[in-house]
Amino acid sequence: MSAHLIPDPAVTPCSDPLAPGWLALSAAMTEEAPFVADRDDLVVTIAPGAGHGSPACFLPPHAAIEVDGAHFGALDPGTADPADPADRARYAAVWGLFTHECAHARHTRWSPPPEAPAGAVAAALLLEESRIEAAQLRRRPDDRHWLRASARKLILADLPTDPGMTARGAADTAGLLLARHDAGILEDTEVRHLRTTITGILGADTLATLRGIWRQAHTVADDDAAAMIELGRRWCAAAGLDPDETPSDTREPGPSDSTSPAGTATLAEAVRATVDNIDRHAATEPAPGSDTRPRRPADPAADDARRAAETVFDKSGSSRTGTAVLTAPRTPTPDERRAARRLARALTTAGVTDRHTTRTTSPVPPGRLRMRGALAADAQRAAGQIPTAEPFTRTHRRLAPAPPLRVGIACDVSGSMRRVAPATASAAWIMAHATRHTLTPADSATVIFGSHVQPITHPGTAPANVTEFGCRGSVEDLPRAINALDGALGLAQPGAARLLVILSDGKFHPWATTGGQTLLDRLRATGCGVLWLTTDDRDRPLHGATVHQLADPADTATVIGRAATTALRTATH
């Protein structure tokens, strides 16, 4: 068996210099370890050759996890983003190896006593493999997908390699595969043939005894070394092994190895079939957090938005017409700079006030004891059953991370909007700089619309100066303005808190009103917030928008900031 758990302090973590891609990936996985292992002192190294001969390993004295980067295949480690659950599906087996070692880091809190028999220790460590995965699933049920994806690499690394293995090999195989079925990792259909084969080698009574031992191991406390060593002794007795004998994959067949080479071949075939079944099912099982909805046909509205963004935000300037309304840029004032910093701080903290609460149950402390569960466990023991009740409950609370933020601002530059133009230009600059300096990923863009749609601030840029504009004309191309902002920022796409801000009196030609209302309804249906800023009681905002009347045009930036933080807290993403 390969060593996933290396308690010897003399064995040190990998210290070879890492290539930039592997170094970045190691740092990213270290950042995710506290969420998976529920401890914040772990250091993760992933690189080709790491793992001390195993696909992955955990070194308790050094709080170190290593994963062999060879299992990353042909993927470029520099492209991996472990913080994105959807990205983990590209390297599911590697993430499963990492999850397994995190389960060791969280739940293997015992060390074999120095006087413990070597054979019993080996059996206890075999039982530990499925015990920690069962405990991990009680805390994080979604980790089942990743543990299944890595099952082939873990199991094949742990199986004895000697072709003469028989009774001992069958017992080890049962402890690795059938025990994972009872832990909730593998499906019954995947191990059914293997169970039949192992029953033919060990006998139904022996397999039933072994199953009772590993199921009891799944209920042992994380730090109960004595219980695990005792279960290791019982395992050796049931499998006909000497608890004092140091296990070896290359041993000669002993008296307990009563099956023939043909039986061994049958066992090997059953293992291969089981692993192939795991691979097949894991490949078709959707990853946690992945989008399993049926793919929708092409959306003509999305195509229109993309084309509008390409022309309006064309930085070559070849498509810009009607730019006579723009004036020479000016230097931002100290008040505008302070407003940008205040808004950046507000956006950074706006989305992290909610807490995610999860409750888990366990058969052992720590946790709050529920008497009903404790009485049920006592009744099961009195009836001679293996206790399945989980009387202890724990509550875990974590701050929910803020989602990314996208804000699009569209300003009407018809003649009736002349008096709010300076405040709008100021707000556009403040918003662009605030979204560029938040810890929460944020992006914004601003356009003005009249007979033409023109950009004031581009997505992903923070202009050095404030671009002001004049207001004249009687035509307002609102549909094109909305489309351009949607296409540039993805206002109709999930995955972020989104807000569209429109500054206008709403006095449009019928075609602009109808087209604008259709696009506004489309954005709202996708979870995008819409804020409409007016300046007069007689203004006519479109239906469905949150309306705010500006008593003082200088308040524009403040109002947009409040609406953006509200969107960040409540938007569908």
Side-chain angles (χ1 to χ4, degrees):
M1 294 175 63
S2 64
H4 295 292
L5 194 66
I6 306 178
D8 186 356
V11 179
T12 59
C14 175
S15 59
D16 295 336
L18 302 182
W22 294 112
L23 184 62
L25 180 57
S26 297
M29 294 180 74
T30 299
E31 289 292 323
E32 297 304 308
F35 301 102
V36 184
D38 197 20
R39 50 185 291 187
D40 57 8
D41 60 336
L42 297 174
V43 177
V44 182
T45 301
I46 176 170
H52 293 273
S54 298
C57 68
F58 173 54
L59 292 78
H62 307 282
I65 290 175
E66 293 187 15
V67 181
D68 189 349
H71 301 297
F72 213 70
L75 292 176
D76 180 1
T79 65
D81 182 12
D84 181 3
D87 188 63
R88 299 169 189 169
R90 297 193 300 133
Y91 39 90
V94 170
W95 194 258
L97 294 172
F98 168 69
T99 301
H100 179 87
E101 302 313 323
C102 283
H104 271 306
R106 174 64 180 86
H107 296 290
T108 302
R109 299 298 181 91
W110 61 277
S111 298
E115 69 280 2
V121 169
L125 292 176
L126 175 73
L127 296 169
E128 184 73 0
E129 292 298 296
S130 62
R131 188 194 75 82
I132 56 109
E133 292 192 358
Q136 184 77 1
L137 290 195
R138 286 195 291 267
R139 289 193 306 113
R140 294 170 50 90
D142 283 350
D143 282 348
R144 176 180 184 269
H145 174 82
W146 312 115
L147 293 172
R148 283 174 54 76
S150 65
R152 163 187 276 272
K153 301 183 187 302
L154 288 169
I155 292 167
L156 294 185
D158 284 344
L159 284 174
T161 57
D162 177 29
M165 72 174 187
T166 50
R168 172 174 288 176
D172 287 348
T173 303
L176 290 171
L177 282 164
L178 301 187
R180 276 184 167 92
H181 166 259
D182 284 346
I185 305 297
L186 304 183
E187 302 284 352
D188 182 69
T189 54
E190 294 168 338
V191 300
R192 187 176 299 156
H193 176 56
L194 179 66
R195 183 184 292 111
T196 301
T197 303
I198 292 177
T199 301
I201 296 175
L202 297 178
D205 291 342
T206 298
L207 181 57
T209 301
L210 295 178
R211 187 187 187 201
I213 293 171
W214 73 58
R215 292 187 67 180
Q216 186 173 347
H218 293 172
T219 68
V220 172
D222 293 342
D223 57 354
D224 196 343
M228 292 303 297
I229 297 300
E230 177 57 29
L231 290 175
R233 292 179 186 273
R234 289 171 51 190
W235 180 275
C236 291
L241 307 174
D242 183 353
D244 295 310
E245 177 187 351
T246 302
S248 172
D249 290 352
T250 58
R251 68 183 179 86
E252 295 297 323
S256 64
D257 298 332
S258 56
T259 58
S260 65
T264 300
T266 302
L267 175 61
E269 291 170 359
V271 171
R272 283 195 298 271
T274 300
V275 172
D276 288 344
N277 284 336
I278 296 170
D279 282 350
R280 256 194 319 272
H281 291 174
T284 58
E285 183 181 44
S290 61
D291 186 358
T292 59
R293 296 171 295 180
R295 296 294 180 187
R296 297 181 180 179
D299 184 357
D303 292 338
D304 291 343
R306 177 181 51 80
R307 286 191 293 267
E310 289 174 353
T311 55
V312 170
F313 290 98
D314 177 10
K315 293 187 178 181
S316 68
S318 60
S319 64
R320 299 184 198 174
T321 57
T323 56
V325 296
L326 299 182
T327 62
R330 64 169 175 82
T331 303
T333 66
D335 287 342
E336 288 169 335
R337 295 186 185 278
R338 283 192 291 270
R341 290 193 293 269
R342 286 197 303 269
L343 182 54
R345 289 193 295 269
L347 295 178
T348 296
T349 60
V352 297
T353 55
D354 292 336
R355 291 178 179 267
H356 283 176
T357 301
T358 57
R359 289 182 174 85
T360 59
T361 61
S362 171
V364 295
R368 183 175 181 178
L369 179 63
R370 295 179 302 123
M371 291 308 300
R372 179 180 298 179
L375 293 174
D378 289 342
Q380 290 173 328
R381 293 189 191 93
Q385 301 174 354
I386 297 175
T388 59
E390 297 183 341
F392 292 92
T393 61
R394 294 184 67 189
T395 300
H396 304 270
R397 296 181 178 87
R398 287 193 176 93
L399 287 175
L405 174 64
R406 305 172 193 151
V407 181
I409 305 174
C411 180
D412 181 355
V413 291
S414 60
S416 60
M417 298 294 294
R418 185 175 295 110
R419 65 191 180 93
V420 297
T424 303
S426 175
W429 185 89
I430 291 170
M431 200 71 201
H433 268 263
T435 55
R436 290 287 289 169
H437 295 89
T438 59
L439 298 180
T440 300
D443 208 355
S444 72
T446 304
V447 298
I448 55 175
F449 65 95
S451 57
H452 305 281
V453 178
Q454 300 170 230
I456 299 299
T457 61
H458 289 71
T461 62
N465 296 315
V466 179
T467 302
E468 293 189 326
F469 47 86
C471 295
R472 62 172 179 266
S474 59
V475 176
E476 304 88 359
D477 194 350
L478 176 64
R480 186 170 178 78
I482 296 176
N483 263 332
L485 292 171
D486 178 16
L489 296 170
L491 297 181
Q493 302 301 318
R498 293 152 284 140
L499 178 67
L500 172 65
V501 182
I502 301 175
L503 293 91
S504 176
D505 54 15
K507 299 172 183 178
F508 305 141
H509 289 277
W511 64 268
T513 299
T514 302
Q517 186 68 63
T518 299
L519 294 176
L520 187 147
D521 291 342
R522 172 177 176 269
L523 290 181
R524 291 181 61 247
T526 66
C528 178
V530 180
L531 172 65
W532 196 292
L533 301 180
T534 67
T535 59
D536 193 281
D537 291 335
R538 294 168 293 181
D539 289 349
R540 298 195 293 257
L542 298 185
H543 300 297
T546 299
V547 180
H548 180 87
Q549 183 174 339
L550 291 174
D552 181 354
D555 291 338
T556 304
T558 302
V559 172
I560 293 176
R562 291 172 181 168
T565 55
T566 300
L568 201 137
R569 288 174 176 168
T570 62
T572 302
H573 39 270

